[in-house]
Amino acid sequence: MVDSAGTGTGASAGGGWKAFLLVFFPVMLMLVWLSFAASEWQKDVRVRSVAVDGAQLVSSAAVAKGLGRWKGKNIHDVDTSAVSGRVAGMAWVKHVRVGQELNGVLRVVVRERVPLAEVFFGGERFVMDSEGVLLPPPAGFGTKVQGLVKVSGIPSPSLRERGFLRVDRKSLGLVKSFSEALSGVPDAAILVRELHLEGSNESWFSVAGDPARFIVGNDGDFKEKLEKFGIFWQSVISKKGMAAIVWLICVSGTGCSLQMQPQPRKRMVKRLKIHALKRE
C-alpha cells in the first residue's frame, strides 16, 4: 500500500515536470525570437521627421530644414554632435539637446537667449540679450517681442562670442538694472522709450513723442527715480510743459528727490546742451 502510494506520487511528479517543460521551452523560444526581432528592427529605424521643441524666436521650420539631410538615414547613424553644432550656430540659440527616438523622430530641444533691449550701434539695429550679446533681430521680432527699451550710447564693443559682438560688463549692468526697474513701474514703462548711456554719471532717458531728456545717472536706484519721474510727469510736465534740466537724485537712506534748473542762459548753453530740455 505504501509502495503503491509512493509509485503513484512519482508518476504524478514526473508528469508535472513534462507539462512544465512543454510550456516553458516554447515560451523561452518565443521570447528569444522577439528579442532578436526587436533588436534587428531597432537597427533599421530610419529618420522620418525632425521635431523642434522650445523654439519661439528661432524658426522651427528653419531648424528642421537645416537638418533635412538626415531624413531617411538610420537614426543610429545620426551624428548628434554635428546636429547640435549646426543648430547652436543659429543666432538666438543658447543651448541644444538632441534625442533619437525609436519611432523615427529626431528631436531637437533648444533653449533660446533672452532679449533685454534694442540697441542702435554703428548705424545698425541689434537686440541685446540678457548676457550682453548683440544679435540681429529675429524674423518677426516686432510681433514676438514687445516693450523692450531702446538703448543708445553703448561704448564700442570689443568682446566677441561665437562671432557676435558683446558689450562691456558695466554697460550691460546699467541696461539690465534700468530695464528691471522699468518693468516694476508700469506708469513709467508706458512713457519711456530710450535710454542713452553717458559717462560722468549722466545717463538719461527720453519719452515717446517728447525731446526732453531726464538724467538718471549711472549709480542705480532706478526704480525709485522712475517712480518719482512718473509722479512728476503727471503733476507737472503733462499739464504745464517745461523747459529745464531735470535731475532725479537719490541719496542712500534719504530717498529720491527731483531738482529742476531753469534752461541755461546763452553763454552756458554749449556746456549744458546735452542736458537741456526743450519744449516748444
Side-chain angles (χ1 to χ4, degrees), residues 143-180:
T143 57
K144 293 178 180 179
V145 181
Q146 298 179 349
L148 296 183
V149 66
K150 295 177 173 60
V151 180
S152 59
I154 294 282
S156 298
S158 57
L159 303 174
R160 289 184 176 270
E161 179 174 317
R162 286 168 39 193
F164 299 110
L165 293 173
R166 186 172 185 172
V167 305
D168 62 279
R169 186 175 299 178
K170 183 178 179 180
S171 297
L172 172 61
L174 285 172
V175 175
K176 186 175 289 188
S177 296
F178 186 84
S179 297
E180 289 174 354

PDB file of all heavy atoms in Angstrom, residues 143-180:
ATOM      1  N   THR A 143       6.527  91.334 -33.628  1.00  0.00           N
ATOM      2  CA  THR A 143       5.315  90.703 -33.110  1.00  0.00           C
ATOM      3  C   THR A 143       5.618  89.700 -31.994  1.00  0.00           C
ATOM      4  O   THR A 143       4.770  89.432 -31.151  1.00  0.00           O
ATOM      5  CB  THR A 143       4.572  89.968 -34.247  1.00  0.00           C
ATOM      6  OG1 THR A 143       5.453  89.009 -34.849  1.00  0.00           O
ATOM      7  CG2 THR A 143       4.111  90.955 -35.307  1.00  0.00           C
ATOM      8  N   LYS A 144       6.837  89.160 -31.982  1.00  0.00           N
ATOM      9  CA  LYS A 144       7.192  88.163 -30.975  1.00  0.00           C
ATOM     10  C   LYS A 144       7.631  88.790 -29.655  1.00  0.00           C
ATOM     11  O   LYS A 144       7.396  88.243 -28.588  1.00  0.00           O
ATOM     12  CB  LYS A 144       8.313  87.264 -31.513  1.00  0.00           C
ATOM     13  CG  LYS A 144       7.896  86.381 -32.677  1.00  0.00           C
ATOM     14  CD  LYS A 144       9.062  85.552 -33.179  1.00  0.00           C
ATOM     15  CE  LYS A 144       8.641  84.657 -34.341  1.00  0.00           C
ATOM     16  NZ  LYS A 144       9.787  83.863 -34.858  1.00  0.00           N
ATOM     17  N   VAL A 145       8.324  89.930 -29.735  1.00  0.00           N
ATOM     18  CA  VAL A 145       8.853  90.587 -28.540  1.00  0.00           C
ATOM     19  C   VAL A 145       8.469  92.058 -28.575  1.00  0.00           C
ATOM     20  O   VAL A 145       8.743  92.748 -29.551  1.00  0.00           O
ATOM     21  CB  VAL A 145      10.390  90.458 -28.456  1.00  0.00           C
ATOM     22  CG1 VAL A 145      10.911  91.124 -27.186  1.00  0.00           C
ATOM     23  CG2 VAL A 145      10.805  88.998 -28.492  1.00  0.00           C
ATOM     24  N   GLN A 146       7.849  92.530 -27.512  1.00  0.00           N
ATOM     25  CA  GLN A 146       7.423  93.928 -27.450  1.00  0.00           C
ATOM     26  C   GLN A 146       7.807  94.530 -26.097  1.00  0.00           C
ATOM     27  O   GLN A 146       8.009  93.814 -25.112  1.00  0.00           O
ATOM     28  CB  GLN A 146       5.918  94.026 -27.666  1.00  0.00           C
ATOM     29  CG  GLN A 146       5.456  93.538 -29.022  1.00  0.00           C
ATOM     30  CD  GLN A 146       3.950  93.621 -29.185  1.00  0.00           C
ATOM     31  OE1 GLN A 146       3.218  93.854 -28.237  1.00  0.00           O
ATOM     32  NE2 GLN A 146       3.480  93.435 -30.408  1.00  0.00           N
ATOM     33  N   GLY A 147       7.898  95.857 -26.088  1.00  0.00           N
ATOM     34  CA  GLY A 147       8.138  96.560 -24.836  1.00  0.00           C
ATOM     35  C   GLY A 147       9.585  96.674 -24.414  1.00  0.00           C
ATOM     36  O   GLY A 147       9.871  97.114 -23.291  1.00  0.00           O
ATOM     37  N   LEU A 148      10.541  96.299 -25.285  1.00  0.00           N
ATOM     38  CA  LEU A 148      11.947  96.457 -24.923  1.00  0.00           C
ATOM     39  C   LEU A 148      12.359  97.924 -25.011  1.00  0.00           C
ATOM     40  O   LEU A 148      11.965  98.639 -25.939  1.00  0.00           O
ATOM     41  CB  LEU A 148      12.849  95.630 -25.850  1.00  0.00           C
ATOM     42  CG  LEU A 148      12.690  94.104 -25.817  1.00  0.00           C
ATOM     43  CD1 LEU A 148      13.712  93.466 -26.736  1.00  0.00           C
ATOM     44  CD2 LEU A 148      12.823  93.564 -24.411  1.00  0.00           C
ATOM     45  N   VAL A 149      13.155  98.369 -24.059  1.00  0.00           N
ATOM     46  CA  VAL A 149      13.645  99.733 -24.097  1.00  0.00           C
ATOM     47  C   VAL A 149      14.729  99.836 -25.164  1.00  0.00           C
ATOM     48  O   VAL A 149      15.511  98.910 -25.387  1.00  0.00           O
ATOM     49  CB  VAL A 149      14.204 100.155 -22.712  1.00  0.00           C
ATOM     50  CG1 VAL A 149      15.436  99.349 -22.344  1.00  0.00           C
ATOM     51  CG2 VAL A 149      14.518 101.651 -22.693  1.00  0.00           C
ATOM     52  N   LYS A 150      14.766 100.973 -25.860  1.00  0.00           N
ATOM     53  CA  LYS A 150      15.796 101.225 -26.864  1.00  0.00           C
ATOM     54  C   LYS A 150      17.002 101.857 -26.168  1.00  0.00           C
ATOM     55  O   LYS A 150      16.841 102.725 -25.311  1.00  0.00           O
ATOM     56  CB  LYS A 150      15.264 102.139 -27.967  1.00  0.00           C
ATOM     57  CG  LYS A 150      14.141 101.512 -28.779  1.00  0.00           C
ATOM     58  CD  LYS A 150      13.612 102.495 -29.817  1.00  0.00           C
ATOM     59  CE  LYS A 150      12.608 101.831 -30.754  1.00  0.00           C
ATOM     60  NZ  LYS A 150      11.435 101.300 -30.039  1.00  0.00           N
ATOM     61  N   VAL A 151      18.192 101.439 -26.539  1.00  0.00           N
ATOM     62  CA  VAL A 151      19.411 101.892 -25.883  1.00  0.00           C
ATOM     63  C   VAL A 151      20.379 102.449 -26.920  1.00  0.00           C
ATOM     64  O   VAL A 151      20.603 101.836 -27.968  1.00  0.00           O
ATOM     65  CB  VAL A 151      20.096 100.750 -25.103  1.00  0.00           C
ATOM     66  CG1 VAL A 151      21.374 101.246 -24.434  1.00  0.00           C
ATOM     67  CG2 VAL A 151      19.143 100.177 -24.066  1.00  0.00           C
ATOM     68  N   SER A 152      20.956 103.595 -26.617  1.00  0.00           N
ATOM     69  CA  SER A 152      21.999 104.178 -27.453  1.00  0.00           C
ATOM     70  C   SER A 152      23.155 104.592 -26.543  1.00  0.00           C
ATOM     71  O   SER A 152      23.055 104.541 -25.329  1.00  0.00           O
ATOM     72  CB  SER A 152      21.457 105.386 -28.233  1.00  0.00           C
ATOM     73  OG  SER A 152      20.961 106.378 -27.334  1.00  0.00           O
ATOM     74  N   GLY A 153      24.256 105.015 -27.171  1.00  0.00           N
ATOM     75  CA  GLY A 153      25.411 105.448 -26.386  1.00  0.00           C
ATOM     76  C   GLY A 153      26.268 104.314 -25.859  1.00  0.00           C
ATOM     77  O   GLY A 153      27.130 104.537 -25.006  1.00  0.00           O
ATOM     78  N   ILE A 154      26.067 103.095 -26.367  1.00  0.00           N
ATOM     79  CA  ILE A 154      26.886 101.952 -25.923  1.00  0.00           C
ATOM     80  C   ILE A 154      28.327 102.154 -26.402  1.00  0.00           C
ATOM     81  O   ILE A 154      28.551 102.428 -27.584  1.00  0.00           O
ATOM     82  CB  ILE A 154      26.340 100.634 -26.509  1.00  0.00           C
ATOM     83  CG1 ILE A 154      24.958 100.318 -25.937  1.00  0.00           C
ATOM     84  CG2 ILE A 154      27.300  99.486 -26.259  1.00  0.00           C
ATOM     85  CD1 ILE A 154      24.959  99.740 -24.565  1.00  0.00           C
ATOM     86  N   PRO A 155      29.319 102.039 -25.518  1.00  0.00           N
ATOM     87  CA  PRO A 155      30.720 102.117 -25.965  1.00  0.00           C
ATOM     88  C   PRO A 155      31.015 101.023 -26.987  1.00  0.00           C
ATOM     89  O   PRO A 155      30.354  99.983 -27.004  1.00  0.00           O
ATOM     90  CB  PRO A 155      31.522 101.901 -24.675  1.00  0.00           C
ATOM     91  CG  PRO A 155      30.579 102.243 -23.570  1.00  0.00           C
ATOM     92  CD  PRO A 155      29.212 101.848 -24.053  1.00  0.00           C
ATOM     93  N   SER A 156      32.008 101.249 -27.828  1.00  0.00           N
ATOM     94  CA  SER A 156      32.338 100.283 -28.874  1.00  0.00           C
ATOM     95  C   SER A 156      32.632  98.907 -28.276  1.00  0.00           C
ATOM     96  O   SER A 156      33.567  98.764 -27.484  1.00  0.00           O
ATOM     97  CB  SER A 156      33.565 100.751 -29.667  1.00  0.00           C
ATOM     98  OG  SER A 156      33.291 101.976 -30.306  1.00  0.00           O
ATOM     99  N   PRO A 157      31.834  97.908 -28.614  1.00  0.00           N
ATOM    100  CA  PRO A 157      32.075  96.560 -28.068  1.00  0.00           C
ATOM    101  C   PRO A 157      33.384  95.984 -28.604  1.00  0.00           C
ATOM    102  O   PRO A 157      33.678  96.109 -29.791  1.00  0.00           O
ATOM    103  CB  PRO A 157      30.882  95.748 -28.578  1.00  0.00           C
ATOM    104  CG  PRO A 157      29.862  96.766 -29.001  1.00  0.00           C
ATOM    105  CD  PRO A 157      30.642  97.948 -29.464  1.00  0.00           C
ATOM    106  N   SER A 158      34.162  95.380 -27.751  1.00  0.00           N
ATOM    107  CA  SER A 158      35.426  94.777 -28.172  1.00  0.00           C
ATOM    108  C   SER A 158      35.431  93.266 -27.965  1.00  0.00           C
ATOM    109  O   SER A 158      36.288  92.574 -28.489  1.00  0.00           O
ATOM    110  CB  SER A 158      36.592  95.393 -27.392  1.00  0.00           C
ATOM    111  OG  SER A 158      36.398  95.234 -25.998  1.00  0.00           O
ATOM    112  N   LEU A 159      34.478  92.781 -27.196  1.00  0.00           N
ATOM    113  CA  LEU A 159      34.404  91.354 -26.930  1.00  0.00           C
ATOM    114  C   LEU A 159      33.528  90.664 -27.965  1.00  0.00           C
ATOM    115  O   LEU A 159      32.594  91.257 -28.495  1.00  0.00           O
ATOM    116  CB  LEU A 159      33.836  91.104 -25.526  1.00  0.00           C
ATOM    117  CG  LEU A 159      34.589  91.764 -24.364  1.00  0.00           C
ATOM    118  CD1 LEU A 159      33.836  91.540 -23.067  1.00  0.00           C
ATOM    119  CD2 LEU A 159      35.993  91.210 -24.263  1.00  0.00           C
ATOM    120  N   ARG A 160      33.824  89.409 -28.235  1.00  0.00           N
ATOM    121  CA  ARG A 160      33.024  88.642 -29.180  1.00  0.00           C
ATOM    122  C   ARG A 160      32.667  87.293 -28.603  1.00  0.00           C
ATOM    123  O   ARG A 160      33.451  86.684 -27.890  1.00  0.00           O
ATOM    124  CB  ARG A 160      33.779  88.449 -30.511  1.00  0.00           C
ATOM    125  CG  ARG A 160      33.888  89.715 -31.327  1.00  0.00           C
ATOM    126  CD  ARG A 160      34.556  89.461 -32.666  1.00  0.00           C
ATOM    127  NE  ARG A 160      34.579  90.661 -33.473  1.00  0.00           N
ATOM    128  CZ  ARG A 160      33.617  91.007 -34.318  1.00  0.00           C
ATOM    129  NH1 ARG A 160      32.558  90.235 -34.459  1.00  0.00           N
ATOM    130  NH2 ARG A 160      33.703  92.116 -35.022  1.00  0.00           N
ATOM    131  N   GLU A 161      31.454  86.825 -28.914  1.00  0.00           N
ATOM    132  CA  GLU A 161      31.011  85.496 -28.502  1.00  0.00           C
ATOM    133  C   GLU A 161      30.428  84.798 -29.706  1.00  0.00           C
ATOM    134  O   GLU A 161      29.425  85.234 -30.262  1.00  0.00           O
ATOM    135  CB  GLU A 161      29.964  85.594 -27.384  1.00  0.00           C
ATOM    136  CG  GLU A 161      29.453  84.237 -26.944  1.00  0.00           C
ATOM    137  CD  GLU A 161      28.522  84.343 -25.741  1.00  0.00           C
ATOM    138  OE1 GLU A 161      28.836  85.108 -24.815  1.00  0.00           O
ATOM    139  OE2 GLU A 161      27.491  83.654 -25.736  1.00  0.00           O
ATOM    140  N   ARG A 162      31.077  83.712 -30.129  1.00  0.00           N
ATOM    141  CA  ARG A 162      30.638  82.955 -31.308  1.00  0.00           C
ATOM    142  C   ARG A 162      30.441  83.866 -32.516  1.00  0.00           C
ATOM    143  O   ARG A 162      29.525  83.703 -33.306  1.00  0.00           O
ATOM    144  CB  ARG A 162      29.345  82.211 -30.990  1.00  0.00           C
ATOM    145  CG  ARG A 162      29.527  81.008 -30.100  1.00  0.00           C
ATOM    146  CD  ARG A 162      28.222  80.464 -29.567  1.00  0.00           C
ATOM    147  NE  ARG A 162      27.155  80.500 -30.538  1.00  0.00           N
ATOM    148  CZ  ARG A 162      25.876  80.316 -30.258  1.00  0.00           C
ATOM    149  NH1 ARG A 162      25.518  80.099 -29.011  1.00  0.00           N
ATOM    150  NH2 ARG A 162      24.953  80.367 -31.180  1.00  0.00           N
ATOM    151  N   GLY A 163      31.324  84.856 -32.651  1.00  0.00           N
ATOM    152  CA  GLY A 163      31.260  85.748 -33.796  1.00  0.00           C
ATOM    153  C   GLY A 163      30.372  86.956 -33.620  1.00  0.00           C
ATOM    154  O   GLY A 163      30.338  87.841 -34.485  1.00  0.00           O
ATOM    155  N   PHE A 164      29.636  87.055 -32.518  1.00  0.00           N
ATOM    156  CA  PHE A 164      28.756  88.192 -32.261  1.00  0.00           C
ATOM    157  C   PHE A 164      29.413  89.160 -31.278  1.00  0.00           C
ATOM    158  O   PHE A 164      30.155  88.749 -30.382  1.00  0.00           O
ATOM    159  CB  PHE A 164      27.416  87.714 -31.680  1.00  0.00           C
ATOM    160  CG  PHE A 164      26.649  86.806 -32.591  1.00  0.00           C
ATOM    161  CD1 PHE A 164      26.494  85.456 -32.286  1.00  0.00           C
ATOM    162  CD2 PHE A 164      26.080  87.292 -33.770  1.00  0.00           C
ATOM    163  CE1 PHE A 164      25.796  84.613 -33.121  1.00  0.00           C
ATOM    164  CE2 PHE A 164      25.377  86.444 -34.607  1.00  0.00           C
ATOM    165  CZ  PHE A 164      25.230  85.109 -34.293  1.00  0.00           C
ATOM    166  N   LEU A 165      29.124  90.448 -31.451  1.00  0.00           N
ATOM    167  CA  LEU A 165      29.646  91.460 -30.541  1.00  0.00           C
ATOM    168  C   LEU A 165      29.022  91.312 -29.161  1.00  0.00           C
ATOM    169  O   LEU A 165      27.870  90.888 -29.025  1.00  0.00           O
ATOM    170  CB  LEU A 165      29.354  92.862 -31.085  1.00  0.00           C
ATOM    171  CG  LEU A 165      30.074  93.260 -32.381  1.00  0.00           C
ATOM    172  CD1 LEU A 165      29.538  94.606 -32.876  1.00  0.00           C
ATOM    173  CD2 LEU A 165      31.571  93.326 -32.176  1.00  0.00           C
ATOM    174  N   ARG A 166      29.784  91.697 -28.150  1.00  0.00           N
ATOM    175  CA  ARG A 166      29.294  91.643 -26.777  1.00  0.00           C
ATOM    176  C   ARG A 166      29.698  92.918 -26.060  1.00  0.00           C
ATOM    177  O   ARG A 166      30.857  93.332 -26.128  1.00  0.00           O
ATOM    178  CB  ARG A 166      29.865  90.426 -26.055  1.00  0.00           C
ATOM    179  CG  ARG A 166      29.298  90.199 -24.670  1.00  0.00           C
ATOM    180  CD  ARG A 166      29.780  88.887 -24.120  1.00  0.00           C
ATOM    181  NE  ARG A 166      29.158  88.577 -22.842  1.00  0.00           N
ATOM    182  CZ  ARG A 166      29.299  87.419 -22.219  1.00  0.00           C
ATOM    183  NH1 ARG A 166      30.047  86.472 -22.766  1.00  0.00           N
ATOM    184  NH2 ARG A 166      28.707  87.198 -21.066  1.00  0.00           N
ATOM    185  N   VAL A 167      28.763  93.566 -25.381  1.00  0.00           N
ATOM    186  CA  VAL A 167      29.045  94.844 -24.724  1.00  0.00           C
ATOM    187  C   VAL A 167      29.831  94.599 -23.434  1.00  0.00           C
ATOM    188  O   VAL A 167      29.883  93.480 -22.911  1.00  0.00           O
ATOM    189  CB  VAL A 167      27.747  95.625 -24.415  1.00  0.00           C
ATOM    190  CG1 VAL A 167      26.927  95.821 -25.682  1.00  0.00           C
ATOM    191  CG2 VAL A 167      26.921  94.915 -23.348  1.00  0.00           C
ATOM    192  N   ASP A 168      30.424  95.663 -22.916  1.00  0.00           N
ATOM    193  CA  ASP A 168      31.204  95.544 -21.688  1.00  0.00           C
ATOM    194  C   ASP A 168      30.283  95.319 -20.485  1.00  0.00           C
ATOM    195  O   ASP A 168      29.082  95.594 -20.525  1.00  0.00           O
ATOM    196  CB  ASP A 168      32.049  96.806 -21.471  1.00  0.00           C
ATOM    197  CG  ASP A 168      31.185  98.044 -21.298  1.00  0.00           C
ATOM    198  OD1 ASP A 168      30.731  98.601 -22.320  1.00  0.00           O
ATOM    199  OD2 ASP A 168      30.949  98.438 -20.145  1.00  0.00           O
ATOM    200  N   ARG A 169      30.851  94.814 -19.422  1.00  0.00           N
ATOM    201  CA  ARG A 169      30.079  94.425 -18.244  1.00  0.00           C
ATOM    202  C   ARG A 169      29.364  95.616 -17.606  1.00  0.00           C
ATOM    203  O   ARG A 169      28.230  95.494 -17.135  1.00  0.00           O
ATOM    204  CB  ARG A 169      30.997  93.754 -17.221  1.00  0.00           C
ATOM    205  CG  ARG A 169      30.264  93.171 -16.021  1.00  0.00           C
ATOM    206  CD  ARG A 169      31.213  92.423 -15.119  1.00  0.00           C
ATOM    207  NE  ARG A 169      31.834  91.306 -15.817  1.00  0.00           N
ATOM    208  CZ  ARG A 169      32.738  90.499 -15.256  1.00  0.00           C
ATOM    209  NH1 ARG A 169      33.131  90.696 -14.023  1.00  0.00           N
ATOM    210  NH2 ARG A 169      33.240  89.498 -15.955  1.00  0.00           N
ATOM    211  N   LYS A 170      30.009  96.772 -17.578  1.00  0.00           N
ATOM    212  CA  LYS A 170      29.397  97.950 -16.957  1.00  0.00           C
ATOM    213  C   LYS A 170      28.144  98.388 -17.709  1.00  0.00           C
ATOM    214  O   LYS A 170      27.108  98.672 -17.103  1.00  0.00           O
ATOM    215  CB  LYS A 170      30.405  99.096 -16.895  1.00  0.00           C
ATOM    216  CG  LYS A 170      29.882 100.338 -16.195  1.00  0.00           C
ATOM    217  CD  LYS A 170      30.948 101.427 -16.132  1.00  0.00           C
ATOM    218  CE  LYS A 170      30.407 102.679 -15.442  1.00  0.00           C
ATOM    219  NZ  LYS A 170      31.448 103.749 -15.382  1.00  0.00           N
ATOM    220  N   SER A 171      28.233  98.452 -19.038  1.00  0.00           N
ATOM    221  CA  SER A 171      27.072  98.846 -19.841  1.00  0.00           C
ATOM    222  C   SER A 171      25.943  97.843 -19.685  1.00  0.00           C
ATOM    223  O   SER A 171      24.770  98.218 -19.559  1.00  0.00           O
ATOM    224  CB  SER A 171      27.473  98.957 -21.323  1.00  0.00           C
ATOM    225  OG  SER A 171      28.445  99.972 -21.515  1.00  0.00           O
ATOM    226  N   LEU A 172      26.282  96.547 -19.685  1.00  0.00           N
ATOM    227  CA  LEU A 172      25.266  95.519 -19.501  1.00  0.00           C
ATOM    228  C   LEU A 172      24.573  95.690 -18.152  1.00  0.00           C
ATOM    229  O   LEU A 172      23.345  95.598 -18.059  1.00  0.00           O
ATOM    230  CB  LEU A 172      25.895  94.130 -19.582  1.00  0.00           C
ATOM    231  CG  LEU A 172      24.992  92.950 -19.218  1.00  0.00           C
ATOM    232  CD1 LEU A 172      23.796  92.881 -20.153  1.00  0.00           C
ATOM    233  CD2 LEU A 172      25.771  91.637 -19.254  1.00  0.00           C
ATOM    234  N   GLY A 173      25.346  95.970 -17.105  1.00  0.00           N
ATOM    235  CA  GLY A 173      24.768  96.140 -15.775  1.00  0.00           C
ATOM    236  C   GLY A 173      23.803  97.308 -15.718  1.00  0.00           C
ATOM    237  O   GLY A 173      22.729  97.214 -15.100  1.00  0.00           O
ATOM    238  N   LEU A 174      24.152  98.415 -16.373  1.00  0.00           N
ATOM    239  CA  LEU A 174      23.277  99.590 -16.393  1.00  0.00           C
ATOM    240  C   LEU A 174      21.971  99.294 -17.129  1.00  0.00           C
ATOM    241  O   LEU A 174      20.887  99.626 -16.650  1.00  0.00           O
ATOM    242  CB  LEU A 174      23.988 100.769 -17.052  1.00  0.00           C
ATOM    243  CG  LEU A 174      25.068 101.478 -16.223  1.00  0.00           C
ATOM    244  CD1 LEU A 174      25.814 102.491 -17.080  1.00  0.00           C
ATOM    245  CD2 LEU A 174      24.447 102.166 -15.015  1.00  0.00           C
ATOM    246  N   VAL A 175      22.086  98.688 -18.303  1.00  0.00           N
ATOM    247  CA  VAL A 175      20.892  98.393 -19.100  1.00  0.00           C
ATOM    248  C   VAL A 175      19.996  97.402 -18.373  1.00  0.00           C
ATOM    249  O   VAL A 175      18.767  97.558 -18.319  1.00  0.00           O
ATOM    250  CB  VAL A 175      21.291  97.841 -20.490  1.00  0.00           C
ATOM    251  CG1 VAL A 175      20.047  97.413 -21.267  1.00  0.00           C
ATOM    252  CG2 VAL A 175      22.059  98.895 -21.277  1.00  0.00           C
ATOM    253  N   LYS A 176      20.596  96.387 -17.779  1.00  0.00           N
ATOM    254  CA  LYS A 176      19.811  95.372 -17.073  1.00  0.00           C
ATOM    255  C   LYS A 176      19.110  95.985 -15.851  1.00  0.00           C
ATOM    256  O   LYS A 176      17.922  95.734 -15.621  1.00  0.00           O
ATOM    257  CB  LYS A 176      20.715  94.215 -16.654  1.00  0.00           C
ATOM    258  CG  LYS A 176      19.967  93.048 -16.042  1.00  0.00           C
ATOM    259  CD  LYS A 176      20.891  91.871 -15.750  1.00  0.00           C
ATOM    260  CE  LYS A 176      21.347  91.202 -17.018  1.00  0.00           C
ATOM    261  NZ  LYS A 176      22.093  89.932 -16.720  1.00  0.00           N
ATOM    262  N   SER A 177      19.829  96.789 -15.086  1.00  0.00           N
ATOM    263  CA  SER A 177      19.235  97.414 -13.898  1.00  0.00           C
ATOM    264  C   SER A 177      18.100  98.355 -14.275  1.00  0.00           C
ATOM    265  O   SER A 177      17.037  98.363 -13.637  1.00  0.00           O
ATOM    266  CB  SER A 177      20.309  98.185 -13.120  1.00  0.00           C
ATOM    267  OG  SER A 177      21.296  97.315 -12.627  1.00  0.00           O
ATOM    268  N   PHE A 178      18.311  99.131 -15.326  1.00  0.00           N
ATOM    269  CA  PHE A 178      17.277 100.074 -15.761  1.00  0.00           C
ATOM    270  C   PHE A 178      16.047  99.316 -16.277  1.00  0.00           C
ATOM    271  O   PHE A 178      14.908  99.672 -15.950  1.00  0.00           O
ATOM    272  CB  PHE A 178      17.822 100.998 -16.844  1.00  0.00           C
ATOM    273  CG  PHE A 178      16.882 102.093 -17.239  1.00  0.00           C
ATOM    274  CD1 PHE A 178      16.816 103.279 -16.523  1.00  0.00           C
ATOM    275  CD2 PHE A 178      16.044 101.943 -18.340  1.00  0.00           C
ATOM    276  CE1 PHE A 178      15.937 104.293 -16.886  1.00  0.00           C
ATOM    277  CE2 PHE A 178      15.164 102.943 -18.704  1.00  0.00           C
ATOM    278  CZ  PHE A 178      15.107 104.125 -17.981  1.00  0.00           C
ATOM    279  N   SER A 179      16.260  98.269 -17.073  1.00  0.00           N
ATOM    280  CA  SER A 179      15.143  97.502 -17.637  1.00  0.00           C
ATOM    281  C   SER A 179      14.335  96.817 -16.539  1.00  0.00           C
ATOM    282  O   SER A 179      13.099  96.795 -16.575  1.00  0.00           O
ATOM    283  CB  SER A 179      15.668  96.459 -18.631  1.00  0.00           C
ATOM    284  OG  SER A 179      16.298  97.078 -19.729  1.00  0.00           O
ATOM    285  N   GLU A 180      15.025  96.245 -15.563  1.00  0.00           N
ATOM    286  CA  GLU A 180      14.336  95.588 -14.454  1.00  0.00           C
ATOM    287  C   GLU A 180      13.522  96.594 -13.648  1.00  0.00           C
ATOM    288  O   GLU A 180      12.393  96.311 -13.240  1.00  0.00           O
ATOM    289  CB  GLU A 180      15.353  94.884 -13.564  1.00  0.00           C
ATOM    290  CG  GLU A 180      15.976  93.654 -14.208  1.00  0.00           C
ATOM    291  CD  GLU A 180      17.087  93.055 -13.375  1.00  0.00           C
ATOM    292  OE1 GLU A 180      17.453  93.671 -12.337  1.00  0.00           O
ATOM    293  OE2 GLU A 180      17.606  91.979 -13.751  1.00  0.00           O
TER     294      GLU A 180
END
